[in-house]
Amino acid sequence: MLHTQPISTLRRLLVSREISPADLLRSVESSIAATDPAIGAYLHRDFPAALAEAEKADLTQPLGGIPIGIKDIINVKDQPLTCGSKILAGKFTSPYDATVITRLRAAGAIPFGKLNMDEFAMGSSTENSALQITRNPVDPSRVPGGSSGGSAAAVAAGTAVATLGTDTGGSIRQPASFCGIVGLKPSYGRVSRFGCTAYASSLEQIGPMTRNVTDAALILQAIAGPDPADSTCRREPLPDFSKALSGGIKGLRLGLPEEYFGAGIDPEVRAAVEKAVRKLEQEGAEIHPVTLPHTSSAVATYYIIATAEASANLARFDGIRYGHRCENPENLLDLYNRSRAEGFGPEVKRRIILGTYVLSSGYYDAYYRKAWKVRYLIRQDFTRAFEKVDLILGPTCPTPAFKFGAHTSDPLQMYLADIYTIAANLAGLCGISLPCGRTAATPDTPALPIGLQLLAPPLAEPTLLRAAWGVEQILGEVDLV
Amino acid sequence: MPQEEPINVRYVAGLARLTLTAEEEAAYTSQLDRILHYVAQLDEVDVSSVPEHTLEEGNCDFTRPDVARASQPMESALQNAPRRSGDQFQVPKVVE
């Protein structure tokens, strides 16, 4: 059961030569063969190539010999890339490594497989993947969350040691919460986005999805830092995140936003988070009420800004240089129109149309400019709150994982599942979801994971990790399926 | 926000270079109307205190050293072409 061990344990076994990188890969491979047909997390894996890499793995590096699964929106050289879309599936092989992959390789890790996701990261359940269904390993009748649903399900099912996801409005933290694992969204600009297919460039970040906080810190250390290939990447030197994994929560000031415990929250989610808060207070954390008055505007603001950016970013899929091209186009315009219509799925089309509309002549000021101004106010809410507290604490999601089809007929209800995560992207904060309990099991439903979210100011990952590690010491680590 | 008339989905999809079926057009019209009605709540937010220029993120204001580097090799740039002719992407005729 090597594949269910945390990275720190595996590294000790690898360095002492008790196991080899190939042993570990074979363990992951057999776990995928046994479990993934029922879960559907993986879109692609290439074990012969990974075993060849494992032979050369540099075990002196911090992630030496560790296999890592990759959300299929990130380019891994010579591996297929689909973004969960028919416009790319079977039609695209990555010509280069994303910066995060170059860095994982430099740290000794082996990016061996690609994981399912909502098409172009647009969704909260992975139901928008055009390629396959991914099931929640805790309860296969429920979604794993999204858009990084494959990345979360693989870690929860024990078919990956750790994975990378991306988070544009909660797409790492929400599936981590639904599957009962740890998911970290770095501050905007902390991790290079070069080689990650762009959806909403002012919001998204790549981050780790892991069994525990220590593993998340290890992977963040490897992938973060300035990158000349991404002009939005922050140039501040990288702190040593492992040093943050001590000290615990004693003396930390935790802010509870009243807006994150109001109408719409599931009573069991609320009770689990409040119970965790009481435990943290007993262990010496200072609990303060805070207010984030523009919380109710965050989802509307997000769906204007994100779709506007998506409409521009996805213009590159034009059937000319890569991706699907329609048969027998009459002319160039027909080629564009039909290639895109045939390749993109319903949610992607919906968002492209909405984004085009809010940027169109006569509507730009009313929608897009207004949304940017409200975004400023949302940031200001957090700036003011962080004058009083070190971190903000609340539930990651208003509900536990929902059933397949629960929100597919109503896009707006699906959007509202992101209500507690979306503001962190608008404000450029770092955030983490970690398990804080489960719902009560019933005859029809197993106990479902509940996630606790911590948010910290931009570039305050050391504080975030210190708190998350402290919370984990108190609440316990991931309880694998 | 300008909500006096429903969104003209066919026109906007044309701007976005997307052909829609009649069913898609009908579905998106009602769904997007609902979403636009929802986002119209931003009308209620007082933004009078927000400076006019909030679009600059302040972290993209640097350039990298002007050093010549090898770019992506031509063959790898062409490897995913839906249609190619020799070392070029093949497209329909664009001049009448």
Side-chain angles (χ1 to χ4, degrees):
Chain A
M1 296 292 277
L2 288 175
H3 51 271
T4 59
Q5 300 299 312
I7 294 176
S8 47
T9 306
L10 293 169
R11 283 284 301 148
R12 200 170 54 242
L13 295 169
L14 285 161
V15 169
S16 65
R17 309 273 170 180
E18 285 170 68
I19 62 166
S20 71
D23 295 335
L24 178 52
L25 264 174
R26 286 195 195 95
S27 172
V28 171
E29 184 180 16
S30 63
S31 158
I32 292 173
T35 311
D36 200 57
I39 301 294
Y42 282 87
L43 291 172
H44 169 81
R45 66 258 188 194
D46 185 349
F47 279 104
L51 283 166
E53 275 191 61
E55 301 242 321
K56 295 176 283 178
D58 181 355
L59 297 182
T60 65
Q61 294 300 318
L63 294 171
I66 301 294
I68 295 189
I70 309 295
K71 182 177 183 178
D72 200 16
I73 197 166
I74 298 170
N75 279 283
V76 181
K77 190 174 188 321
D78 296 333
Q79 290 187 19
L81 178 86
T82 69
C83 298
S85 181
K86 284 194 297 184
I87 210 161
L88 286 172
K91 301 182 173 78
F92 193 88
T93 302
S94 294
Y96 55 82
D97 276 337
T99 296
V100 291
I101 301 300
T102 307
R103 290 184 177 169
L104 281 180
R105 290 192 204 278
I110 304 166
F112 71 97
K114 305 301 282 293
L115 292 152
N116 198 23
M117 53 182 281
D118 284 300
E119 185 174 359
F120 288 104
M122 298 180 188
S124 307
S125 66
T126 313
E127 291 169 288
N128 291 335
S129 169
L131 307 178
Q132 69 190 35
I133 288 172
T134 299
R135 296 181 180 280
N136 190 317
V138 182
D139 177 353
S141 71
R142 289 173 191 268
V143 302
S147 66
S148 311
S151 298
V155 173
T159 56
V161 172
T163 58
L164 291 187
T166 62
D167 191 315
T168 310
S171 284
I172 286 174
R173 291 161 287 156
Q174 185 255 22
S177 170
F178 278 15
C179 292
I181 63 160
V182 173
L184 191 160
K185 182 203 100 70
S187 312
Y188 186 74
R190 184 60 105 177
V191 177
S192 167
R193 293 179 293 111
F194 177 74
C196 176
T197 313
Y199 152 34
S201 307
S202 77
L203 299 162
E204 60 211 3
Q205 274 289 288
I206 300 169
M209 304 181 75
T210 56
R211 301 237 146 81
N212 62 28
V213 175
T214 307
D215 286 3
L218 261 172
I219 293 178
L220 183 65
Q221 194 78 53
I223 62 174
D227 178 13
D230 177 358
S231 66
T232 65
C233 209
R234 302 286 294 241
R235 284 158 289 159
E236 285 82 351
L238 207 57
D240 181 348
F241 296 124
S242 67
K243 285 198 178 133
L245 304 176
S246 60
I249 52 126
K250 194 168 168 40
L252 282 178
R253 298 168 301 163
L254 306 180
L256 265 51
E258 56 184 270
E259 295 83 0
Y260 286 18
F261 292 87
I265 187 170
D266 180 281
E268 283 189 289
V269 171
R270 183 185 178 130
V273 175
E274 287 178 343
K275 189 175 166 194
V277 168
R278 285 195 296 276
K279 278 193 196 169
L280 300 178
E281 195 167 21
Q282 282 163 13
E283 298 290 332
E286 289 178 28
I287 307 294
H288 299 274
V290 291
T291 179
L292 302 168
H294 295 93
T295 297
S296 61
S297 302
V299 172
T301 304
Y302 175 88
Y303 278 95
I304 292 172
I305 292 172
T307 59
E309 294 180 9
S311 72
N313 276 325
L314 270 60
R316 74 193 60 199
F317 294 97
D318 56 6
I320 301 294
R321 292 153 300 156
Y322 42 72
H324 174 71
R325 183 185 288 192
C326 67
E327 293 292 330
N328 305 316
E330 286 174 23
N331 51 42
L332 194 62
L333 188 60
D334 184 47
L335 186 157
Y336 292 151
N337 284 338
R338 281 202 292 125
S339 299
R340 289 163 61 79
E342 291 167 10
F344 289 136
E347 181 63 26
V348 175
K349 289 181 190 173
R350 192 155 41 233
R351 293 198 196 190
I352 288 175
I353 294 169
L354 180 58
T356 305
Y357 179 74
V358 300
L359 290 177
S360 63
S361 175
Y363 298 100
Y364 179 93
D365 283 344
Y367 289 106
Y368 188 68
R369 186 170 292 277
K370 178 79 189 237
W372 264 93
K373 288 187 172 181
V374 180
R375 181 177 187 172
Y376 180 92
L377 294 174
I378 290 168
R379 284 177 185 215
Q380 210 171 45
D381 283 356
F382 283 104
T383 306
R384 285 183 181 144
F386 286 128
E387 285 167 6
K388 296 185 207 125
V389 295
D390 302 303
L391 298 122
I392 284 167
L393 183 153
T396 308
C397 308
T399 66
F402 46 82
K403 295 259 189 189
F404 284 96
H407 298 322
T408 40
S409 61
D410 187 348
L412 192 53
Q413 281 308 311
M414 187 77 92
Y415 298 171
L416 291 171
D418 297 332
I419 187 135
Y420 304 142
T421 48
I422 240 166
N425 301 81
L426 291 166
L429 313 178
C430 53
I432 193 166
S433 176
L434 60 169
C436 81
R438 293 201 174 210
T439 61
T442 68
D444 310 327
T445 310
L448 300 170
I450 295 169
L452 176 150
Q453 177 176 237
L454 292 167
L455 299 174
L459 300 187
E461 276 89 355
T463 311
L464 183 77
L465 287 164
R466 174 189 160 188
W469 185 83
V471 170
E472 188 178 66
Q473 301 305 304
I474 294 162
L475 301 182
E477 280 194 20
V478 170
D479 178 16
L480 278 180
V481 180
Chain B
M1 288 180 182
Q3 267 287 290
E4 60 275 11
E5 53 190 76
I7 176 174
N8 184 340
V9 165
R10 177 177 291 271
Y11 172 72
V12 180
L15 296 177
R17 300 288 181 256
L18 279 170
T19 305
L20 298 184
T21 64
E23 294 77 33
E24 284 177 318
E25 192 182 321
Y28 290 148
T29 300
S30 71
Q31 288 167 348
L32 290 171
D33 254 0
R34 219 177 137 236
I35 293 168
L36 288 170
H37 182 76
Y38 176 79
V39 302
Q41 65 170 275
L42 296 189
D43 279 343
E44 309 300 315
V45 183
D46 177 6
V47 293
S48 57
S49 67
V50 179
E52 212 31 59
H53 300 288
T54 62
L55 293 172
E56 298 79 13
E57 285 305 292
N59 196 46
C60 308
D61 55 346
F62 71 100
T63 53
R64 59 175 178 242
D66 186 13
V67 179
R69 294 179 307 165
S71 55
Q72 203 182 342
M74 187 163 62
E75 190 49 43
S76 86
L78 282 161
Q79 74 181 32
N80 292 301
R83 294 191 70 171
R84 63 185 278 189
S85 172
D87 290 339
Q88 297 171 66
F89 295 102
Q90 198 174 64
V91 297
K93 195 168 94 171
V94 290
V95 181
E96 296 302 326

